[in-house]
Every structure is written in structure tokens, then in C-alpha cells.
Amino acid sequence: MTAEGRMLLRAFSQLGVIDTMCHLGTWPYRLTASADADGLRAYARRHGLRSLWVSHLSALFGFDTHTGNRAALTECAGDELFRVFAVIDPSEADWRSELAWAADAGAFGVRVAPGFHHYPVPLVAEVIDAAATHGMSVQLIARMDDARVRHPSCLARDLDVHDIADLVRSRPEHPLVISGLNAADWTELSRHLSDAVPETVRLDLWHVNGPTGIVDRLDPARWVFGSGLPVQTPEATMLQMMASDLPPDALRTITTPRL
């Protein structure tokens, strides 16, 4: 890395960032894409992060979500650095019981991944309603990797933006963080919603990795920092942010979301 790159990362570490999209476990198609709780703690120390929002990758790829959710809560127990998001699959018969158990066990929020669990996006609306009764935040995983380099054995699909727009339109009151959209997707989402995107909707930055300066053209009140670690390389997003012309107050808005 260049001296300028190291300088930008040092500046990033002074912001006290909240990373809204991290994972425990191993990405099945790349052995080196793996993280345990100690690895995430080291990542947080290295970059001055104040909080990590985490779930377990095995809840996306396993036969059920409970095993991964339990592993995440166990690994992160007692450490204020972590905010555990339980992965909920509304096509499972007992998903409401799983959500209630996760809330009682200390989960901070809920993640849903229709593209991995292969159910219609409108089912997420029921999860949003149930999460609201427990005071839990909701994150929708629209994609986790770039389809152009996706392993052929991976059956996950990217979500259609118009389906996301219909979901947002049906539940405009409850906060929702959407992970894995890019700037073009955001433009399309806004168009579907006639530019009336509820203020409660946020999007994370890890997939906004296009031409230099693209971050400058985003609304900082709409985006949050989410790295996608360990599936993605977090420094790419960090460097893009710090190389932008965003003023300090905009950087604080992105890196310390209030949801």
C-alpha cells in the first residue's frame, strides 16, 4: 500500500466508525474469507471501529438459521463491540419463535436474505412487523458478492430492485438497512418510489466501488458504512470514502448511523 493509502486509513481510524455489515464464519467458496470473534476484534482495533454489526454465515448456508444464530450470540456474548443480528428465514415454520428467542438472547437486530433462502421478497414485510414488536432493527441483504465472479455452485440470487421498492412502499415506517446495492440501484430504487424514499431507509457502501469520486455524489444522510467483511475487503470502501471530497460532518453521518 502507498504512503497516501496508509495516511487515509489512519484518518479513517480517527472517526470511530460503526461497521453495519460484518459476518462470522467462512464464505463457502473461498477459504480465506473467514472470520471469528477474535479476528473481528483485531479488525476493529486496526481501524478504530466502535461497533460491529454481525451475523453468522452459516445461518445463510445451513439447513436452518438457528445454528448460526446461536453460534453468533455465543461467540459475541459479553463484548460490547458486537451487535448481533439474527438471520431470520420467514419460510421456516418456526421463524417467529426463532425471532423471539433471538430477541430474548440479546440480539440487536434481524437480517433477512431472500436471495439465499429462496422466498418471495414480500414475506420480509411480516418479519419487519415482528421485529418492530421487539424493538429490533432490520437489514435486508440484496446481494453479498458480485454476480460476475460468483461461484457456479452458489444458488444465491440478487434481489430485483422493483421488489425492494414494493417492500419499502409497504412498510415505510420501520427503519430498514439494505445491503449490497450500488449507486445505479439506488437511482432505480428512487425512480420506482418516485423519489419519495422514506427517511428510515439506509443503504450500505461496500458495493459502491465504481469510478473515483462516486461517493461524492451520494447523499450522506442515506448511506452507512458497511464493509461486508470477511466476504469483501473493507479497506477498499474505507479508502474510497477518505479519498472523497466529503466534508467531516458528512463522514460522521455515514460512519455513525442513528437508526
Side-chain angles (χ1 to χ4, degrees), residues 115-133:
F116 284 84
H117 291 140
H118 306 291
Y119 57 82
V121 173
L123 286 184
V124 174
E126 297 182 40
V127 180
I128 291 175
D129 292 341
T133 66

Side-chain angles (χ1 to χ4, degrees), residues 25-31 33-34 57 60-61 116 144-145 154 230-231:
T26 301
W27 186 246
Y29 311 105
R30 196 166 71 250
L31 188 61
S34 181
L57 288 170
L60 296 178
F61 293 97
F116 284 84
M144 289 272 285
D145 58 356
C154 182
V231 186

Side-chain angles (χ1 to χ4, degrees), residues 11-173:
F12 179 90
S13 70
Q14 301 304 308
L15 295 173
V17 174
I18 296 172
D19 189 337
T20 63
M21 183 54 62
C22 287
H23 311 273
L24 293 158
T26 301
W27 186 246
Y29 311 105
R30 196 166 71 250
L31 188 61
T32 56
S34 181
D36 59 15
D38 286 341
L40 291 180
R41 291 185 186 100
Y43 161 65
R45 288 193 300 270
R46 187 164 63 251
H47 294 295
L49 304 173
R50 74 165 71 174
S51 181
L52 305 181
W53 295 4
V54 300
S55 58
H56 207 293
L57 288 170
S58 65
L60 296 178
F61 293 97
F63 285 107
D64 63 12
T65 58
H66 180 75
T67 304
N69 291 336
R70 181 177 290 278
L73 286 160
T74 299
E75 284 198 56
C76 298
D79 192 331
E80 289 298 316
L81 173 67
F82 299 114
R83 297 290 181 269
V84 174
F85 277 67
V87 176
I88 297 297
D89 176 359
S91 67
E92 292 181 343
D94 60 347
W95 72 265
R96 293 181 184 276
S97 297
E98 176 69 7
L99 194 155
W101 168 82
D104 290 343
F108 177 80
V110 168
R111 285 179 180 165
V112 285
F116 284 84
H117 291 140
H118 306 291
Y119 57 82
V121 173
L123 286 184
V124 174
E126 297 182 40
V127 180
I128 291 175
D129 292 341
T133 66
H134 294 282
M136 301 171 80
S137 300
V138 178
Q139 291 184 306
L140 172 67
I141 296 176
R143 64 168 63 89
M144 289 272 285
D145 58 356
D146 192 320
R148 294 170 296 181
V149 295
R150 186 167 297 156
H151 194 282
S153 296
C154 182
L155 299 179
R157 64 177 180 86
D158 296 350
L159 302 187
D160 291 331
V161 174
H162 71 83
D163 288 334
I164 298 174
D166 288 343
L167 174 66
V168 170
R169 193 180 291 112
S170 73
R171 295 297 186 277
E173 308 88 3

